[in-house]
Amino acid sequence: MQRVDKLLIEGGIPLSGEIAISGAKNAALPILCASLLSSEPLHLTNVPRLKDIATMLRLLVQMGVDVEDLGDDGLVLNSCGLDNPLAPYDMVKTMRAAILVLGPLVARHGEARVSLPGGCAIGARPVEQHIKGLQAMGAQLRVEHGYIHATAGAKAGQRGLAGARIFTDMVTVTGTENLMMAAVLAKGETVIENAAREPEVVDLANCLVSMGARIAGAGTDKIRIQGVERLHGATHAIMADRIETGTYLCAAAATGGHVRLTNTSAAYLDAVVDKLFDAGCDVLSERTAITLQAPPRLKAVSIRTSPYPAFPTDMQAQFMAINCVAEGSSVIRETIFENRFMHAVELIRLGADIKIDASNAMVTGVDHLDGATVMATDLRASASLVIAGLVAQGETQIERIYHLDRGYERIEEKLGQLGARVRRIS
């Protein structure tokens, strides 16, 4: 029987102290898939210990990838024995990032059969852009019985993937990553237009370059890739998790705390830091650390989510939580996902004043929240409920925290280091 954990939070304590931020989940997942592109070992450090990472590693192992866990020294992945280019539904239904094996498998192995993915229920995130881009490079794809079946090279009766000019109809992070990984082994030049600019895309590009890929323009909306015949092994450190960083900054801000976060940087958090300044916080940025001092009470701040470098959708729920107890009213507009206000109903159970109108949430700050039992609906919604629970009077119980474990490493331990009263129960 599967264990179902809950989180109990006794609120009302300002967070204080110092913690280290983990490696970025959204950078680590595609970089783990990059190991499929070479027959030589890929050594990765600063890999976060998360449920999604464990799921991806199990997926790679069943494909024939050898994974060596070096503890604090990271992981070594070796795909020289790759023999099963299949990503089955039962292994990927909880994690959309599994689609990231598609490009590498087609590029190096010439074949892939990948289940259409699952993951958080925050709205439609179609894979058409992945399919369209791979077809432009010469792959043959069909979708049947819930699987994407792709072939290229000898297994498709052709010479292999070829460089192409690809314009994505929408900005897609995983789409950009998948096509970039496929293109590094394609013949000739590939240009990805309307590419995602997220720092995690840049981190993947840096890893691929260290493996011998030729990539220019990562971090802009036009990425050029000159295909090479093969990639070699490399060592790469995963970037710090900017969303985990932003979440702990919001938790400190909401509780009126004073924290220092190490092993991270404000370099990729300009939009978030600007809003924390507007809310009345003092934020000091160092080369590898961030310090935040919160005011006695925050000022409400309105936000609008957009692709990087604008305000990230993955921080929307956390700012809704801090606006619940801020002075004044705010409007939060979600432009990325059509179903990402599910946490609002749970925040209302704690006493928040929130009104939803289509893609807009109107939040009026209240004097205090009251602890209650709430249910997590997705990864970032879970984080917003933790922040609200840290502020609320009395005890808050958060159910279905398996969502939380997908993206936050040892969250109760880290909050405890900052003085919070948080414990996990089964």
PDB file of all heavy atoms in Angstrom, residues 92-126:
ATOM      1  N   VAL A  92       5.580   7.272 -16.828  1.00  0.00           N
ATOM      2  CA  VAL A  92       5.650   8.705 -17.132  1.00  0.00           C
ATOM      3  C   VAL A  92       4.335   9.442 -16.894  1.00  0.00           C
ATOM      4  O   VAL A  92       4.260  10.650 -17.097  1.00  0.00           O
ATOM      5  CB  VAL A  92       6.105   8.943 -18.600  1.00  0.00           C
ATOM      6  CG1 VAL A  92       7.423   8.268 -18.862  1.00  0.00           C
ATOM      7  CG2 VAL A  92       5.058   8.465 -19.584  1.00  0.00           C
ATOM      8  N   LYS A  93       3.318   8.730 -16.440  1.00  0.00           N
ATOM      9  CA  LYS A  93       2.004   9.366 -16.322  1.00  0.00           C
ATOM     10  C   LYS A  93       1.973  10.499 -15.307  1.00  0.00           C
ATOM     11  O   LYS A  93       1.114  11.370 -15.380  1.00  0.00           O
ATOM     12  CB  LYS A  93       0.936   8.319 -15.979  1.00  0.00           C
ATOM     13  CG  LYS A  93       1.156   7.614 -14.648  1.00  0.00           C
ATOM     14  CD  LYS A  93       0.123   6.501 -14.470  1.00  0.00           C
ATOM     15  CE  LYS A  93       0.368   5.741 -13.174  1.00  0.00           C
ATOM     16  NZ  LYS A  93      -0.599   4.622 -12.997  1.00  0.00           N
ATOM     17  N   THR A  94       2.914  10.509 -14.357  1.00  0.00           N
ATOM     18  CA  THR A  94       2.930  11.573 -13.349  1.00  0.00           C
ATOM     19  C   THR A  94       3.936  12.670 -13.665  1.00  0.00           C
ATOM     20  O   THR A  94       4.092  13.602 -12.879  1.00  0.00           O
ATOM     21  CB  THR A  94       3.271  10.997 -11.961  1.00  0.00           C
ATOM     22  OG1 THR A  94       4.587  10.432 -12.009  1.00  0.00           O
ATOM     23  CG2 THR A  94       2.271   9.945 -11.538  1.00  0.00           C
ATOM     24  N   MET A  95       4.621  12.569 -14.807  1.00  0.00           N
ATOM     25  CA  MET A  95       5.725  13.507 -15.057  1.00  0.00           C
ATOM     26  C   MET A  95       5.808  13.858 -16.542  1.00  0.00           C
ATOM     27  O   MET A  95       6.249  13.069 -17.366  1.00  0.00           O
ATOM     28  CB  MET A  95       7.047  12.878 -14.600  1.00  0.00           C
ATOM     29  CG  MET A  95       8.232  13.814 -14.707  1.00  0.00           C
ATOM     30  SD  MET A  95       9.761  12.988 -14.258  1.00  0.00           S
ATOM     31  CE  MET A  95       9.873  11.768 -15.569  1.00  0.00           C
ATOM     32  N   ARG A  96       5.409  15.060 -16.877  1.00  0.00           N
ATOM     33  CA  ARG A  96       5.412  15.507 -18.271  1.00  0.00           C
ATOM     34  C   ARG A  96       6.825  15.576 -18.849  1.00  0.00           C
ATOM     35  O   ARG A  96       6.998  15.468 -20.057  1.00  0.00           O
ATOM     36  CB  ARG A  96       4.782  16.905 -18.382  1.00  0.00           C
ATOM     37  CG  ARG A  96       3.306  16.940 -18.121  1.00  0.00           C
ATOM     38  CD  ARG A  96       2.711  18.237 -18.637  1.00  0.00           C
ATOM     39  NE  ARG A  96       2.992  18.417 -20.044  1.00  0.00           N
ATOM     40  CZ  ARG A  96       2.245  17.935 -21.025  1.00  0.00           C
ATOM     41  NH1 ARG A  96       1.178  17.222 -20.757  1.00  0.00           N
ATOM     42  NH2 ARG A  96       2.571  18.151 -22.290  1.00  0.00           N
ATOM     43  N   ALA A  97       7.823  15.751 -18.015  1.00  0.00           N
ATOM     44  CA  ALA A  97       9.193  15.890 -18.517  1.00  0.00           C
ATOM     45  C   ALA A  97       9.686  14.647 -19.234  1.00  0.00           C
ATOM     46  O   ALA A  97      10.696  14.694 -19.937  1.00  0.00           O
ATOM     47  CB  ALA A  97      10.137  16.231 -17.365  1.00  0.00           C
ATOM     48  N   ALA A  98       8.971  13.528 -19.115  1.00  0.00           N
ATOM     49  CA  ALA A  98       9.371  12.309 -19.810  1.00  0.00           C
ATOM     50  C   ALA A  98       9.406  12.510 -21.320  1.00  0.00           C
ATOM     51  O   ALA A  98      10.113  11.788 -22.026  1.00  0.00           O
ATOM     52  CB  ALA A  98       8.425  11.175 -19.449  1.00  0.00           C
ATOM     53  N   ILE A  99       8.660  13.472 -21.835  1.00  0.00           N
ATOM     54  CA  ILE A  99       8.675  13.747 -23.274  1.00  0.00           C
ATOM     55  C   ILE A  99      10.076  14.140 -23.744  1.00  0.00           C
ATOM     56  O   ILE A  99      10.399  14.041 -24.929  1.00  0.00           O
ATOM     57  CB  ILE A  99       7.655  14.863 -23.615  1.00  0.00           C
ATOM     58  CG1 ILE A  99       7.406  14.971 -25.126  1.00  0.00           C
ATOM     59  CG2 ILE A  99       8.103  16.203 -23.079  1.00  0.00           C
ATOM     60  CD1 ILE A  99       6.663  13.803 -25.705  1.00  0.00           C
ATOM     61  N   LEU A 100      10.945  14.543 -22.803  1.00  0.00           N
ATOM     62  CA  LEU A 100      12.291  14.994 -23.157  1.00  0.00           C
ATOM     63  C   LEU A 100      13.220  13.873 -23.599  1.00  0.00           C
ATOM     64  O   LEU A 100      14.324  14.143 -24.074  1.00  0.00           O
ATOM     65  CB  LEU A 100      12.915  15.746 -21.973  1.00  0.00           C
ATOM     66  CG  LEU A 100      12.319  17.130 -21.693  1.00  0.00           C
ATOM     67  CD1 LEU A 100      12.716  17.617 -20.308  1.00  0.00           C
ATOM     68  CD2 LEU A 100      12.751  18.122 -22.757  1.00  0.00           C
ATOM     69  N   VAL A 101      12.796  12.617 -23.489  1.00  0.00           N
ATOM     70  CA  VAL A 101      13.619  11.529 -24.021  1.00  0.00           C
ATOM     71  C   VAL A 101      13.408  11.370 -25.520  1.00  0.00           C
ATOM     72  O   VAL A 101      14.202  10.706 -26.200  1.00  0.00           O
ATOM     73  CB  VAL A 101      13.338  10.184 -23.308  1.00  0.00           C
ATOM     74  CG1 VAL A 101      13.562  10.309 -21.810  1.00  0.00           C
ATOM     75  CG2 VAL A 101      11.931   9.667 -23.604  1.00  0.00           C
ATOM     76  N   LEU A 102      12.346  11.971 -26.057  1.00  0.00           N
ATOM     77  CA  LEU A 102      11.981  11.761 -27.455  1.00  0.00           C
ATOM     78  C   LEU A 102      13.068  12.226 -28.417  1.00  0.00           C
ATOM     79  O   LEU A 102      13.525  11.450 -29.274  1.00  0.00           O
ATOM     80  CB  LEU A 102      10.655  12.478 -27.744  1.00  0.00           C
ATOM     81  CG  LEU A 102      10.101  12.375 -29.170  1.00  0.00           C
ATOM     82  CD1 LEU A 102       9.807  10.930 -29.530  1.00  0.00           C
ATOM     83  CD2 LEU A 102       8.839  13.232 -29.301  1.00  0.00           C
ATOM     84  N   GLY A 103      13.494  13.482 -28.310  1.00  0.00           N
ATOM     85  CA  GLY A 103      14.507  14.020 -29.214  1.00  0.00           C
ATOM     86  C   GLY A 103      15.829  13.281 -29.148  1.00  0.00           C
ATOM     87  O   GLY A 103      16.372  12.870 -30.197  1.00  0.00           O
ATOM     88  N   PRO A 104      16.392  13.072 -27.966  1.00  0.00           N
ATOM     89  CA  PRO A 104      17.670  12.346 -27.868  1.00  0.00           C
ATOM     90  C   PRO A 104      17.603  10.916 -28.417  1.00  0.00           C
ATOM     91  O   PRO A 104      18.529  10.459 -29.085  1.00  0.00           O
ATOM     92  CB  PRO A 104      17.972  12.349 -26.369  1.00  0.00           C
ATOM     93  CG  PRO A 104      17.238  13.523 -25.831  1.00  0.00           C
ATOM     94  CD  PRO A 104      16.001  13.637 -26.665  1.00  0.00           C
ATOM     95  N   LEU A 105      16.504  10.199 -28.133  1.00  0.00           N
ATOM     96  CA  LEU A 105      16.392   8.822 -28.609  1.00  0.00           C
ATOM     97  C   LEU A 105      16.347   8.761 -30.135  1.00  0.00           C
ATOM     98  O   LEU A 105      17.021   7.942 -30.758  1.00  0.00           O
ATOM     99  CB  LEU A 105      15.139   8.157 -28.028  1.00  0.00           C
ATOM    100  CG  LEU A 105      15.203   7.739 -26.555  1.00  0.00           C
ATOM    101  CD1 LEU A 105      13.851   7.210 -26.092  1.00  0.00           C
ATOM    102  CD2 LEU A 105      16.286   6.691 -26.316  1.00  0.00           C
ATOM    103  N   VAL A 106      15.561   9.633 -30.750  1.00  0.00           N
ATOM    104  CA  VAL A 106      15.459   9.640 -32.209  1.00  0.00           C
ATOM    105  C   VAL A 106      16.799  10.023 -32.830  1.00  0.00           C
ATOM    106  O   VAL A 106      17.233   9.440 -33.822  1.00  0.00           O
ATOM    107  CB  VAL A 106      14.349  10.595 -32.672  1.00  0.00           C
ATOM    108  CG1 VAL A 106      14.324  10.700 -34.190  1.00  0.00           C
ATOM    109  CG2 VAL A 106      12.993  10.125 -32.178  1.00  0.00           C
ATOM    110  N   ALA A 107      17.478  11.016 -32.218  1.00  0.00           N
ATOM    111  CA  ALA A 107      18.732  11.513 -32.789  1.00  0.00           C
ATOM    112  C   ALA A 107      19.828  10.454 -32.750  1.00  0.00           C
ATOM    113  O   ALA A 107      20.557  10.273 -33.730  1.00  0.00           O
ATOM    114  CB  ALA A 107      19.179  12.766 -32.041  1.00  0.00           C
ATOM    115  N   ARG A 108      19.965   9.736 -31.639  1.00  0.00           N
ATOM    116  CA  ARG A 108      21.086   8.793 -31.504  1.00  0.00           C
ATOM    117  C   ARG A 108      20.700   7.357 -31.813  1.00  0.00           C
ATOM    118  O   ARG A 108      21.455   6.616 -32.448  1.00  0.00           O
ATOM    119  CB  ARG A 108      21.674   8.872 -30.089  1.00  0.00           C
ATOM    120  CG  ARG A 108      22.790   7.852 -29.879  1.00  0.00           C
ATOM    121  CD  ARG A 108      23.597   8.059 -28.622  1.00  0.00           C
ATOM    122  NE  ARG A 108      24.308   6.822 -28.314  1.00  0.00           N
ATOM    123  CZ  ARG A 108      24.132   6.096 -27.224  1.00  0.00           C
ATOM    124  NH1 ARG A 108      23.292   6.490 -26.295  1.00  0.00           N
ATOM    125  NH2 ARG A 108      24.812   4.985 -27.037  1.00  0.00           N
ATOM    126  N   HIS A 109      19.510   6.951 -31.363  1.00  0.00           N
ATOM    127  CA  HIS A 109      19.111   5.549 -31.504  1.00  0.00           C
ATOM    128  C   HIS A 109      18.311   5.312 -32.785  1.00  0.00           C
ATOM    129  O   HIS A 109      18.198   4.175 -33.234  1.00  0.00           O
ATOM    130  CB  HIS A 109      18.279   5.131 -30.290  1.00  0.00           C
ATOM    131  CG  HIS A 109      18.127   3.660 -30.120  1.00  0.00           C
ATOM    132  ND1 HIS A 109      19.136   2.857 -29.632  1.00  0.00           N
ATOM    133  CD2 HIS A 109      17.088   2.821 -30.374  1.00  0.00           C
ATOM    134  CE1 HIS A 109      18.718   1.595 -29.579  1.00  0.00           C
ATOM    135  NE2 HIS A 109      17.474   1.552 -30.028  1.00  0.00           N
ATOM    136  N   GLY A 110      17.737   6.386 -33.362  1.00  0.00           N
ATOM    137  CA  GLY A 110      16.958   6.251 -34.577  1.00  0.00           C
ATOM    138  C   GLY A 110      15.527   5.828 -34.374  1.00  0.00           C
ATOM    139  O   GLY A 110      14.760   5.682 -35.326  1.00  0.00           O
ATOM    140  N   GLU A 111      15.133   5.666 -33.099  1.00  0.00           N
ATOM    141  CA  GLU A 111      13.776   5.205 -32.816  1.00  0.00           C
ATOM    142  C   GLU A 111      13.391   5.573 -31.397  1.00  0.00           C
ATOM    143  O   GLU A 111      14.234   5.596 -30.498  1.00  0.00           O
ATOM    144  CB  GLU A 111      13.677   3.689 -33.002  1.00  0.00           C
ATOM    145  CG  GLU A 111      12.277   3.129 -32.810  1.00  0.00           C
ATOM    146  CD  GLU A 111      12.213   1.628 -33.032  1.00  0.00           C
ATOM    147  OE1 GLU A 111      13.282   0.977 -33.058  1.00  0.00           O
ATOM    148  OE2 GLU A 111      11.089   1.101 -33.159  1.00  0.00           O
ATOM    149  N   ALA A 112      12.115   5.869 -31.185  1.00  0.00           N
ATOM    150  CA  ALA A 112      11.590   6.132 -29.842  1.00  0.00           C
ATOM    151  C   ALA A 112      10.106   5.823 -29.814  1.00  0.00           C
ATOM    152  O   ALA A 112       9.387   6.059 -30.799  1.00  0.00           O
ATOM    153  CB  ALA A 112      11.830   7.582 -29.445  1.00  0.00           C
ATOM    154  N   ARG A 113       9.678   5.274 -28.705  1.00  0.00           N
ATOM    155  CA  ARG A 113       8.247   5.083 -28.461  1.00  0.00           C
ATOM    156  C   ARG A 113       7.963   5.648 -27.082  1.00  0.00           C
ATOM    157  O   ARG A 113       8.373   5.077 -26.066  1.00  0.00           O
ATOM    158  CB  ARG A 113       7.882   3.594 -28.545  1.00  0.00           C
ATOM    159  CG  ARG A 113       6.379   3.352 -28.582  1.00  0.00           C
ATOM    160  CD  ARG A 113       6.048   1.956 -29.113  1.00  0.00           C
ATOM    161  NE  ARG A 113       4.612   1.718 -29.049  1.00  0.00           N
ATOM    162  CZ  ARG A 113       4.005   1.071 -28.060  1.00  0.00           C
ATOM    163  NH1 ARG A 113       4.723   0.590 -27.056  1.00  0.00           N
ATOM    164  NH2 ARG A 113       2.706   0.911 -28.058  1.00  0.00           N
ATOM    165  N   VAL A 114       7.294   6.792 -27.055  1.00  0.00           N
ATOM    166  CA  VAL A 114       7.138   7.559 -25.822  1.00  0.00           C
ATOM    167  C   VAL A 114       5.663   7.798 -25.538  1.00  0.00           C
ATOM    168  O   VAL A 114       4.925   8.332 -26.384  1.00  0.00           O
ATOM    169  CB  VAL A 114       7.877   8.922 -25.923  1.00  0.00           C
ATOM    170  CG1 VAL A 114       7.715   9.718 -24.634  1.00  0.00           C
ATOM    171  CG2 VAL A 114       9.354   8.693 -26.244  1.00  0.00           C
ATOM    172  N   SER A 115       5.238   7.446 -24.335  1.00  0.00           N
ATOM    173  CA  SER A 115       3.859   7.686 -23.927  1.00  0.00           C
ATOM    174  C   SER A 115       3.573   9.177 -23.874  1.00  0.00           C
ATOM    175  O   SER A 115       4.423   9.977 -23.479  1.00  0.00           O
ATOM    176  CB  SER A 115       3.610   7.070 -22.548  1.00  0.00           C
ATOM    177  OG  SER A 115       2.357   7.488 -22.027  1.00  0.00           O
ATOM    178  N   LEU A 116       2.376   9.547 -24.287  1.00  0.00           N
ATOM    179  CA  LEU A 116       1.959  10.931 -24.062  1.00  0.00           C
ATOM    180  C   LEU A 116       1.953  11.164 -22.558  1.00  0.00           C
ATOM    181  O   LEU A 116       1.418  10.352 -21.806  1.00  0.00           O
ATOM    182  CB  LEU A 116       0.573  11.175 -24.660  1.00  0.00           C
ATOM    183  CG  LEU A 116       0.517  11.128 -26.187  1.00  0.00           C
ATOM    184  CD1 LEU A 116      -0.931  11.123 -26.662  1.00  0.00           C
ATOM    185  CD2 LEU A 116       1.274  12.294 -26.794  1.00  0.00           C
ATOM    186  N   PRO A 117       2.549  12.276 -22.106  1.00  0.00           N
ATOM    187  CA  PRO A 117       2.817  12.433 -20.670  1.00  0.00           C
ATOM    188  C   PRO A 117       1.645  12.934 -19.857  1.00  0.00           C
ATOM    189  O   PRO A 117       0.652  13.429 -20.380  1.00  0.00           O
ATOM    190  CB  PRO A 117       3.963  13.449 -20.657  1.00  0.00           C
ATOM    191  CG  PRO A 117       3.757  14.253 -21.896  1.00  0.00           C
ATOM    192  CD  PRO A 117       3.146  13.325 -22.917  1.00  0.00           C
ATOM    193  N   GLY A 118       1.834  12.823 -18.529  1.00  0.00           N
ATOM    194  CA  GLY A 118       0.859  13.345 -17.563  1.00  0.00           C
ATOM    195  C   GLY A 118       1.460  14.523 -16.849  1.00  0.00           C
ATOM    196  O   GLY A 118       1.947  15.456 -17.461  1.00  0.00           O
ATOM    197  N   GLY A 119       1.454  14.482 -15.488  1.00  0.00           N
ATOM    198  CA  GLY A 119       2.030  15.581 -14.707  1.00  0.00           C
ATOM    199  C   GLY A 119       0.959  16.382 -14.013  1.00  0.00           C
ATOM    200  O   GLY A 119      -0.163  15.925 -13.831  1.00  0.00           O
ATOM    201  N   CYS A 120       1.255  17.613 -13.646  1.00  0.00           N
ATOM    202  CA  CYS A 120       0.309  18.460 -12.922  1.00  0.00           C
ATOM    203  C   CYS A 120      -0.903  18.799 -13.790  1.00  0.00           C
ATOM    204  O   CYS A 120      -0.767  19.066 -14.982  1.00  0.00           O
ATOM    205  CB  CYS A 120       0.990  19.761 -12.487  1.00  0.00           C
ATOM    206  SG  CYS A 120       2.163  19.557 -11.151  1.00  0.00           S
ATOM    207  N   ALA A 121      -2.076  18.830 -13.166  1.00  0.00           N
ATOM    208  CA  ALA A 121      -3.312  19.133 -13.893  1.00  0.00           C
ATOM    209  C   ALA A 121      -3.567  20.626 -13.928  1.00  0.00           C
ATOM    210  O   ALA A 121      -4.572  21.116 -13.423  1.00  0.00           O
ATOM    211  CB  ALA A 121      -4.483  18.401 -13.235  1.00  0.00           C
ATOM    212  N   ILE A 122      -2.665  21.376 -14.531  1.00  0.00           N
ATOM    213  CA  ILE A 122      -2.790  22.843 -14.533  1.00  0.00           C
ATOM    214  C   ILE A 122      -3.190  23.376 -15.891  1.00  0.00           C
ATOM    215  O   ILE A 122      -3.149  24.575 -16.125  1.00  0.00           O
ATOM    216  CB  ILE A 122      -1.490  23.517 -14.055  1.00  0.00           C
ATOM    217  CG1 ILE A 122      -0.319  23.118 -14.955  1.00  0.00           C
ATOM    218  CG2 ILE A 122      -1.229  23.197 -12.605  1.00  0.00           C
ATOM    219  CD1 ILE A 122       0.972  23.820 -14.602  1.00  0.00           C
ATOM    220  N   GLY A 123      -3.582  22.479 -16.809  1.00  0.00           N
ATOM    221  CA  GLY A 123      -4.022  22.949 -18.110  1.00  0.00           C
ATOM    222  C   GLY A 123      -3.354  22.187 -19.231  1.00  0.00           C
ATOM    223  O   GLY A 123      -2.456  21.390 -19.031  1.00  0.00           O
ATOM    224  N   ALA A 124      -3.830  22.441 -20.445  1.00  0.00           N
ATOM    225  CA  ALA A 124      -3.314  21.756 -21.625  1.00  0.00           C
ATOM    226  C   ALA A 124      -1.893  22.213 -21.937  1.00  0.00           C
ATOM    227  O   ALA A 124      -1.611  23.395 -21.964  1.00  0.00           O
ATOM    228  CB  ALA A 124      -4.231  22.037 -22.812  1.00  0.00           C
ATOM    229  N   ARG A 125      -1.010  21.231 -22.124  1.00  0.00           N
ATOM    230  CA  ARG A 125       0.367  21.541 -22.526  1.00  0.00           C
ATOM    231  C   ARG A 125       0.711  20.607 -23.682  1.00  0.00           C
ATOM    232  O   ARG A 125       1.382  19.600 -23.497  1.00  0.00           O
ATOM    233  CB  ARG A 125       1.317  21.376 -21.334  1.00  0.00           C
ATOM    234  CG  ARG A 125       1.017  22.382 -20.224  1.00  0.00           C
ATOM    235  CD  ARG A 125       2.102  22.426 -19.183  1.00  0.00           C
ATOM    236  NE  ARG A 125       1.952  21.365 -18.205  1.00  0.00           N
ATOM    237  CZ  ARG A 125       2.711  21.258 -17.110  1.00  0.00           C
ATOM    238  NH1 ARG A 125       3.656  22.140 -16.874  1.00  0.00           N
ATOM    239  NH2 ARG A 125       2.533  20.274 -16.255  1.00  0.00           N
ATOM    240  N   PRO A 126       0.205  20.929 -24.876  1.00  0.00           N
ATOM    241  CA  PRO A 126       0.306  19.988 -25.998  1.00  0.00           C
ATOM    242  C   PRO A 126       1.739  19.770 -26.455  1.00  0.00           C
ATOM    243  O   PRO A 126       2.608  20.624 -26.288  1.00  0.00           O
ATOM    244  CB  PRO A 126      -0.531  20.669 -27.090  1.00  0.00           C
ATOM    245  CG  PRO A 126      -0.503  22.127 -26.742  1.00  0.00           C
ATOM    246  CD  PRO A 126      -0.454  22.185 -25.242  1.00  0.00           C
TER     247      PRO A 126
END
